[in-house]
Amino acid sequence: MHVIERLELLLKEAQQAIQSAGNARALEEVRVKYLGKSGLVTEVLKGLSQIAPETRPQVGKASNDVKNRITELLELKQEGFESKGGSELPLGWDPTLPGRRQPMGKMHPLTRVQQEICGIFKSFGFDQVEGSDVETDYYNFQALNVPPDHPARDAQDTFYLQKGLLLRTHMSPIQVRVMEKLKPPFKFVAPGKVYRHEAIDATHHHIFHQVEGVLVDKGIHFGHLKGILDNWVKKFFGSKVETRFRPSFFPFTEPSAEVDISCVFCQGKGCRICKQSGWVEMMGCGMIHPVVFENCRIDPNEWTGFAFGMGVERLTMFKYDIDDIRLFYQNDLRFLKQF
Ligand code: PHE
């Protein structure tokens, strides 16, 4: 056989051997077999002296080319092993296959709804502020005109910490925190976790989320409150949804109201979800009590305003027809993936 043909054959063989080498050791064996001291290609190079002088340069070049090509292939394969972090590369590994898709994370439904709630108020010009989960009795109760014997102060309802601290039972302390600092006019919303010492069931949890809102300016009256909340409800639930304001009581607002919305599932006709009434209670609200203004050194004769507070879980459950609040906290992907 002509030497050049023999070299081409060796290259083909070596190529195949390199391809099927499953690890670095097998690769080294291939190198020794072809390029080692008495390797097959090396032998051809050694025999050059016996070749006729006129073909020598041609054969010399061909054998060098083959040697270089094999070296190149060996290096490439070795790099493949190294980039895999080890010397083992499974047989049949194909680096040109597309990668495996990683599952994408999603926002928790409560986070999404909370952002949606605040986003609508921000489109009305409200700022967004944050408070602290740990509060003092003063901000959670006293400054909000909650009398010392109010049932909400009972250890049955409030998680008390050491040194007179407690976990906020509602987002309303943010009213006092902001009003102490800012000069009116202002309007803001504040989302956050609240804590109540309650037994857990399908509609109660000891941790849940509220969004509190406040607007203070000159000449603000109950009509403004109704206008803002009615507009908000129509943006959040849809333009056909109606609101109804029922008299209620909160120590920090006067007058106070509960806001009902017409049931989005039966259009107010009456169903299981609205307990046949056609209406569902959605939030508490009212005109900020003069005593609260005075506690924050704001003159109630000059400024008036309103506040409201809504439960994020409740709104989410109603919007998506979820009948058990515990689902939000169980981290069951079958539930979470639906949002
Ligand atoms: N803080 C009240 C609650 O948790 C809700 C509320 C906020 C009511 C603001 C009136 C004004 O129930």
Side-chain angles (χ1 to χ4, degrees):
M1 198 197 305
H2 191 278
V3 191
I4 293 194
E5 276 167 25
R6 163 121 182 96
L7 279 168
E8 273 167 10
L9 197 73
L10 284 177
L11 176 59
K12 246 189 216 147
E13 268 180 37
Q15 231 164 359
Q16 260 167 23
I18 291 168
Q19 211 166 51
S20 52
N23 53 42
R25 202 193 309 148
L27 202 60
E28 175 60 10
E29 277 165 18
V30 177
R31 192 191 66 77
V32 172
K33 180 171 174 195
Y34 292 91
L35 305 181
K37 255 191 200 152
S38 41
L40 296 170
V41 177
T42 320
E43 292 299 327
V44 176
L45 278 161
K46 277 190 202 159
L48 269 184
S49 56
Q50 279 133 49
I51 289 174
E54 41 311 349
T55 50
R56 215 176 283 163
Q58 206 194 339
V59 176
K61 184 181 178 307
S63 44
N64 266 323
D65 284 353
V66 167
K67 187 182 157 195
N68 291 340
R69 180 73 189 132
I70 295 177
T71 309
E72 211 175 272
L73 290 170
L74 285 166
E75 277 168 5
L76 261 175
K77 182 81 171 188
Q78 184 63 34
E79 273 169 27
F81 288 151
E82 280 158 16
S83 68
K84 275 208 82 202
S87 58
E88 300 295 323
L89 186 68
L91 271 180
W93 182 74
D94 180 355
T96 64
L97 281 176
R100 249 179 232 149
R101 256 177 184 278
Q102 294 300 317
M104 277 262 280
K106 274 191 180 180
M107 240 189 271
H108 192 280
L110 291 177
T111 313
R112 270 174 74 129
V113 171
Q114 187 171 290
Q115 288 186 358
E116 195 187 335
I117 293 170
C118 294
I120 299 171
F121 283 113
K122 284 193 215 163
S123 77
F124 295 164
F126 284 63
D127 291 322
Q128 185 170 327
V129 299
E130 251 177 55
S132 157
D133 294 30
V134 176
E135 269 297 359
T136 61
D137 186 275
Y138 178 75
Y139 286 101
N140 198 78
F141 295 125
Q142 286 173 54
L144 288 164
N145 197 32
V146 179
D149 57 353
H150 193 279
R153 289 186 170 220
D154 198 309
Q156 297 281 328
D157 295 310
T158 305
F159 286 110
Y160 285 97
L161 308 170
Q162 288 171 334
K163 298 186 188 139
L165 296 172
L166 49 83
L167 293 174
R168 65 184 172 200
T169 58
H170 55 172
M171 283 304 293
S172 296
I174 199 77
Q175 294 184 23
V176 184
R177 294 252 174 216
V178 173
M179 291 203 286
E180 274 181 346
K181 280 207 195 87
L182 295 187
K183 277 204 162 86
F186 46 71
K187 46 186 184 294
F188 61 86
V189 282
K193 278 195 183 76
V194 300
Y195 305 80
R196 289 190 194 167
H197 200 264
E198 267 180 326
I200 296 174
D201 64 25
T203 51
H204 297 88
H205 210 276
H206 52 252
I207 303 177
F208 57 102
H209 298 77
Q210 285 187 335
V211 173
E212 182 92 2
V214 171
L215 183 150
V216 177
D217 206 331
K218 288 198 165 131
I220 296 299
H221 53 71
F222 204 86
H224 296 115
L225 169 58
K226 287 181 79 172
I228 290 276
L229 290 183
D230 186 67
N231 260 292
W232 181 85
V233 163
K234 288 181 162 53
K235 287 230 152 50
F236 186 78
F237 285 109
S239 55
K240 293 208 177 66
V241 177
E242 306 282 335
T243 51
R244 175 173 91 168
F245 288 71
R246 265 184 303 112
S248 183
F249 175 80
F250 299 101
F252 35 92
T253 47
E254 181 57 35
S256 303
E258 294 287 350
V259 186
D260 293 346
I261 67 163
S262 56
C263 181
V264 297
F265 293 100
C266 61
Q267 282 76 43
K269 287 187 204 83
C271 68
R272 152 186 85 80
I273 289 165
C274 58
K275 299 198 182 85
Q276 310 307 327
S277 72
W279 296 93
V280 188
E281 188 181 311
M282 272 303 141
M283 58 187 116
C285 64
M287 302 305 292
I288 295 171
H289 200 292
V291 166
V292 179
F293 275 134
E294 276 160 11
N295 288 340
C296 305
R297 285 169 295 281
I298 291 176
D299 182 358
N301 297 314
E302 195 180 348
W303 303 97
T304 52
F306 59 77
F308 52 85
M310 51 183 91
V312 179
E313 278 78 356
R314 195 176 162 71
L315 286 162
T316 311
M317 287 168 81
F318 190 60
K319 188 158 179 160
Y320 296 106
D321 190 14
I322 296 163
D323 58 9
D324 196 325
I325 195 170
R326 289 168 290 199
L327 287 165
F328 292 123
Y329 299 101
Q330 284 163 344
N331 289 332
D332 185 336
L333 289 179
R334 291 168 304 176
F335 171 72
L336 295 174
K337 272 183 179 165
Q338 297 176 61
F339 296 90

